[in-house]
């Protein structure tokens, strides 16, 4: 079945450091890929998305490129801020079974230190 | 403003009770989902529904059932609550298309004692 695998956290970085959070997936069809963010005490919200191979999603300085050959969608940011401290979830939506099931990874907690 | 509303923010129930968690969306979305969120395990899909009266099991359906009698409402039922069902439960909805955003409710923190 469909699945999403994320790197385990927590990830602790100093402010202005480079961030990479790895995400790989398996899917039966041609999925769309997403990153969601959950700030402390808040619900999940969409950060960025990509719908086909080689697409790059971007938002708030974060980027991720849909790599079909490596089945990956790694999240990157060039310079993190304390306000980026949150839990990040990789997700996919796949119509392989005829319905659009939405699957999430386990989440990666990011802590940015001033 | 789009909205997914879960009926309770916090619930405390006793072992063996039948528990109903309700979710309502006002966006005319076809798909609705129930997840549970546990530390270190992320969001795990319990059930989802792609149409009225239609449902499909997720990864961890054991001990749960669902009901979708109307398009806007999706209920999660714990037939006989157990302590290992203590968790945060999240409801979400989406349109029935590939690149659609999932909209989440605020979550229900269920404690089974």
């Amino acid at each position: 079945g469909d699945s999403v695998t994320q790197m385990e956290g927590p990830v602790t970085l100093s402010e202005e450091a480079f961030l990479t959070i790895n995400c790989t997936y398996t899917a039966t069809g041609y999925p769309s890929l997403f990153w969601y963010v959950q700030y402390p005490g808040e619900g999940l919200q969409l950060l960025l998305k990509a719908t086909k191979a080689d697409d790059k999603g971007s938002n708030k300085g974060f980027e991720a490129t849909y790599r079909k050959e490596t089945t990956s969608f790694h999240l990157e940011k060039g310079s993190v801020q304390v306000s980026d401290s949150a839990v990040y979830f990789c997700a996919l939506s796949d119509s392989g079974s005829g319905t659009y099931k939405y699957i999430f990874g386990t989440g990666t907690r990011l802590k940015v230190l001033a | 403003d789009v909205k997914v509303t879960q009926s309770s923010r916090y619930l405390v129930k006793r072992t063996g009770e039948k528990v109903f968690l309700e979710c309502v969306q006002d966006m005319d979305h076809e798909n609705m989902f129930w997840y549970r969120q546990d530390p270190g395990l992320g969001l795990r899909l319990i059930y989802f529904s792609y149409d009225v009266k239609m449902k499909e099991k997720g990864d961890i359906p054991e001990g749960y059932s669902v009901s979708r009698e109307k398009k806007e409402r999706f209920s999660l039922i714990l037939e006989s609550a157990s302590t290992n069902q203590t968790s945060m439960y999240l409801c979400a909805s989406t349109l029935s298309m590939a690149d659609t955003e999932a909209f989440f409710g605020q979550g229900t923190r269920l404690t089974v004692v």
Side-chain angles (χ1 to χ4, degrees), chain A residues 11-90:
Chain A
V11 174
T12 303
L13 295 173
S14 298
E15 208 165 23
E16 300 184 3
F18 185 86
L19 168 71
T20 300
I21 300 178
N22 290 339
C23 171
T24 58
Y25 68 90
T26 58
T28 54
Y30 299 94
S32 293
L33 301 175
F34 307 83
W35 277 99
Y36 283 77
V37 58
Q38 186 177 35
Y39 297 104
E42 298 185 14
L44 275 79
Q45 55 187 277
L46 180 66
L47 180 60
L48 53 84
K49 68 180 182 183
T51 59
K52 62 183 187 295
D54 300 324
D55 266 4
K56 179 185 282 187
S58 61
N59 187 24
K60 298 182 181 180
F62 291 89
E63 293 183 340
T65 301
Y66 189 143
R67 301 284 187 202
K68 191 176 179 184
E69 64 276 13
T70 54
T71 61
S72 65
F73 192 56
H74 304 321
L75 182 68
E76 295 181 336
K77 187 175 185 183
S79 176
V80 294
Q81 306 300 312
V82 172
S83 57
D84 293 326
S85 297
V87 182
Y88 293 83
F89 293 91
C90 187

Side-chain angles (χ1 to χ4, degrees), chain A residues 2 30 32 34 36 38 41 43-46 49 51 89 93 97 99-107, chain B residues 9 31 33 35 37 40-43 45 48 50 56-57 59 90 94 96-102 104:
Chain A
D2 296 349
Y30 299 94
S32 293
F34 307 83
Y36 283 77
Q38 186 177 35
L44 275 79
Q45 55 187 277
L46 180 66
K49 68 180 182 183
T51 59
F89 293 91
S93 176
S97 62
T99 57
Y100 291 96
K101 189 184 289 188
Y102 223 102
I103 302 294
F104 286 82
T106 54
Chain B
R9 195 72 192 269
N31 300 329
F33 305 81
Y35 300 90
Q37 182 177 14
L41 298 176
L43 271 67
L45 181 63
F48 85 102
Y50 49 92
E56 192 169 313
K57 291 180 180 179
D59 298 320
L90 298 176
T94 70
S96 203
M97 49 193 291
D99 61 348
T100 183
E101 177 179 354
F104 283 84

Side-chain angles (χ1 to χ4, degrees), chain B residues 20-72:
Chain B
F20 293 85
L21 303 183
E22 307 285 342
C23 176
V24 177
Q25 51 94 2
D26 64 0
M27 296 165 282
D28 202 33
H29 284 172
E30 294 88 0
N31 300 329
M32 296 187 75
F33 305 81
W34 276 107
Y35 300 90
R36 61 178 284 177
Q37 182 177 14
D38 299 290
L41 298 176
L43 271 67
R44 292 181 291 167
L45 181 63
I46 304 171
Y47 268 98
F48 85 102
S49 169
Y50 49 92
D51 201 350
V52 175
K53 297 188 187 294
M54 306 302 288
K55 63 186 179 185
E56 192 169 313
K57 291 180 180 179
D59 298 320
I60 51 165
E62 297 79 17
Y64 303 94
S65 63
V66 291
S67 172
R68 191 161 180 210
E69 298 296 319
K70 294 185 178 181
K71 190 176 185 180
E72 66 270 17

